[in-house]
Amino acid sequence: MRTKLITILAIILPLAAGAQVFNRAPLEETRYAQLPLGSISPDGWLKEQLQRQANGLTGHLDEVYPEVMGPDNAWLGGDGDAWERGPYWIDGLLPLAYILKDKVLIAKAQKWVEAILASQQPDGYIGPAQDHPFVYGLQRGKARDWWPKMVALKILQQYYMATADPRVIDCLSSFFRFQLNTLGQTPLDHWSDWGKWRGADNLEVVYWLYSITGDQSLLELGELIHSQTVDWTSMLQDGGFFRTPYSVHCVNLGQGFKAPAVWWQYSHDGTDLEAPVKAAQTIRHTVGLPTGLWAGDEMLHAGEPTRGSELCTAVEMMYSLEEMLRITGDLRWADYLERVAFNALPAQVTDDFSAKQYYQQTNQVSCTLDTWGFSTPHDGTDVVFGTLNGYPCCLSNMHQGWPKFTQNLWYATPDGGLAALVFAPCEVKAKVAGGIDVIVKESTDYPFGDSFRFSVSFARCRDRKATFPLSFRVPGWCDSPEVLVNGEPVKARVSDGMIRLEREWRRKDTVTLRFPMKVDVEEWYDKAWTIVRGPLVYALRMEENWTWTPFQKGFYGKGAWEVTSSSPWNYCLMRDSFSADSCRVSVNVPVVSYPWNTDNAPVRISVPARELKSWKNPASVSFWTEDGVDFGEEKTIELVPYGCTALRIAEFPTRIVPWDVEYRDFKY
């Protein structure tokens, strides 16, 4: 009965007291706080995206993957899988359920929450406690490992943000006392080394709870957790491991990227803020890919466009960037977040959210069962679109990407206002100006279009006006933002990348923003060129033929989709003559409800290019050549947003006409 009541209240009531958690001293003051889970409702294409998740794997993983996500899971009290996969799923399912206010999904998530709470032992321990003999396909050993507990902590934190259930505070307080008493004997890497790489996931929940309760022992625990976590500040500051192949697991990097910022809240050391900034610059010129990720087919590599990037890396890096943005207020992380979310994430999952790639390639002209030269291959299943292909971690972990992105579109500010730091169509309901319930509807075709309309209203009829600030991030790629209030242009000052509008807001007031986008050219691996516009990377549009291929072995699921094409792809761009001005942009807005495929792509860019007839294998080309005439006649090719593609070339070779050859004399 209690579970049913909690479910009903979560749907019809906004989160009340304690929802907006700003840091308590001696932690650094935070510029932003997350809103109650469910305060931000998706609209437009984002709503369609989340609904497809609910209808697809996220909402039905217990049916698709019952051997792990079913009732035998050890987190539910059974003797089945006892490690990370179950918590991974709920870490995405729970926020999706509350954002969509879906009673069925809330009930599914609630079952896991109740099981976690009920598992707490008198000493404070939570989760599976007993190892079981090995069974292929299950992880039944290392039940007491710290790492899966960290995912469970995030689940409980999100559940509290959605319901304010006081049991969460009691449970976490007891568990952290248990950690404080036992980490000395069984440190984070006692059962596996994942905990020491990913300790920031533990630490951030400790600091969140401290800011609610003020329990000083949590600060002591924080120091202990940090001391047992890999020194990410030194690693990211030095950057030497980016130049050393196989040095780091690619997902560990995505999760550890936030560690210096999380620790900075307590250390107050500027080096902790500088380290990820320095690392982002190093990544850009070593292992980096245009999507904002890095070449890491499990282990780190130089950023060749045919190296893979794991799906877990995308969603974990997004989560790190979201936390870093909230903690530091550094808007560079918002730009970085949008680069990953709008490019890497949609390209790696099918339209109906029923299948995924384990690795994606920046230059990917076929997705077939084949040997790709990855450092961690899985019988050639890594780039096809399936369920258990590759390794099951991504099938379990992929679900957090879009829901947590939605949760971080808006933040509360300490001055009683709201800030839009990341953009997508949505509506936010929040308390401002000391307790007035305001509603702001954000209408936009972003990231495809460049215009936004924000409409102000109030939840209660008696509230007709309120004075509070509305703040908006100006993307780093935008030089000349345009602002209108109620249709009238205003000269809004941009300070630290933000436009802050403080005034008495009335019902039906509007703010219109425009962030003009321009085509730009970026240089990546081996001087390859990539075309970008606003937050989107663009890639060659190719015909896509999808074929279902059954698997002979059951290790990787029943089968997967292979994708092939007869479209030519071997094109280069000419450094002598190519410029952004030579590109022609066509924008079709308003966008359709689901824009993330080649047929529905709302933006297309026509680009002059030349064929490289000798380029037969995507991995076998010099991306920069200053001598030779291996290119053909100029053609116009069509680019679409990277996130709309399954097959593509996004990093183009470049060529220079030899100094002693002129176009007018050269015969192709």
Side-chain angles (χ1 to χ4, degrees), residues 305-306 363-365 528 540 568-573 610-623 630-631 648-655:
T306 52
N363 285 356
Q364 181 171 276
V365 301
L540 177 68
W569 51 265
N570 52 338
Y571 294 105
C572 70
L573 304 179
R610 295 179 183 272
E611 186 179 3
L612 286 178
K613 295 183 179 180
S614 61
W615 189 18
K616 305 295 185 183
N617 182 333
S620 62
V621 67
S622 173
F623 282 89
D630 57 342
F631 46 83
R648 59 189 163 261
I649 295 291
E651 293 186 56
F652 289 90
T654 59
R655 294 295 183 264

Side-chain angles (χ1 to χ4, degrees), residues 139-377:
Q139 295 170 311
R140 305 207 308 167
K142 301 179 181 177
R144 298 183 71 90
D145 189 12
W146 293 112
W147 156 237
K149 308 295 188 292
M150 299 179 194
V151 186
L153 298 180
K154 294 194 296 177
I155 293 170
L156 293 178
Q157 179 188 31
Q158 292 179 101
Y159 175 66
Y160 182 82
M161 291 170 61
T163 65
D165 188 335
R167 295 179 300 163
V168 170
I169 303 302
D170 294 339
C171 178
L172 291 178
S173 297
S174 295
F175 177 73
F176 289 144
R177 284 194 293 272
F178 169 78
Q179 276 200 306
L180 186 59
N181 292 331
T182 57
L183 277 177
Q185 296 76 43
T186 54
L188 295 180
D189 62 353
H190 180 77
W191 284 280
S192 75
D193 69 351
W194 298 107
K196 75 175 183 179
W197 290 99
R198 302 171 178 183
D201 288 56
N202 197 152
L203 184 60
E204 63 184 352
V205 182
V206 170
Y207 286 156
W208 174 81
L209 184 64
Y210 167 76
S211 293
I212 294 174
T213 68
D215 181 351
Q216 294 293 311
S217 70
L218 293 170
L219 298 179
E220 181 184 355
L221 174 61
E223 292 187 71
L224 182 58
I225 291 171
H226 176 71
S227 71
Q228 295 182 5
T229 301
V230 166
D231 186 358
W232 282 104
T233 294
S234 296
M235 285 184 61
L236 296 178
Q237 183 78 12
D238 173 74
F241 74 95
F242 291 120
R243 299 177 176 86
T244 306
Y246 311 105
S247 57
V248 171
H249 187 275
C250 61
V251 182
N252 281 347
L253 175 56
Q255 292 176 300
F257 200 80
K258 64 178 173 289
V262 174
W263 173 241
W264 167 80
Q265 296 173 96
Y266 184 73
S267 75
H268 312 294
D269 187 342
T271 305
D272 293 315
L273 288 185
E274 296 165 4
V277 175
K278 179 72 177 298
Q281 296 169 347
T282 307
I283 288 171
R284 176 68 176 81
H285 299 289
T286 52
V287 298
L289 302 172
T291 57
L293 299 178
W294 42 84
D297 39 28
E298 298 237 0
M299 303 307 293
L300 204 62
H301 288 284
E304 300 173 65
T306 52
R307 280 293 186 181
S309 177
E310 190 179 333
L311 179 54
C312 279
T313 304
V315 296
E316 291 294 355
M317 185 58 171
M318 286 176 60
Y319 179 64
S320 284
L321 293 167
E322 288 154 1
E323 288 298 291
M324 294 166 67
L325 177 61
R326 176 187 60 81
I327 291 169
T328 70
D330 189 335
L331 300 183
R332 283 176 288 200
W333 306 131
D335 289 337
Y336 203 148
L337 171 61
E338 290 188 349
R339 178 65 76 101
V340 177
F342 294 145
N343 296 286
L345 185 58
Q348 208 157 354
V349 185
T350 57
D351 292 356
D352 61 0
F353 222 84
S354 68
K356 58 92 182 81
Q357 276 186 306
Y358 191 65
Y359 301 137
Q360 68 170 290
Q361 299 165 297
T362 307
N363 285 356
Q364 181 171 276
V365 301
S366 65
C367 301
T368 55
L369 294 164
D370 206 343
T371 301
W372 297 96
F374 296 137
S375 64
T376 311

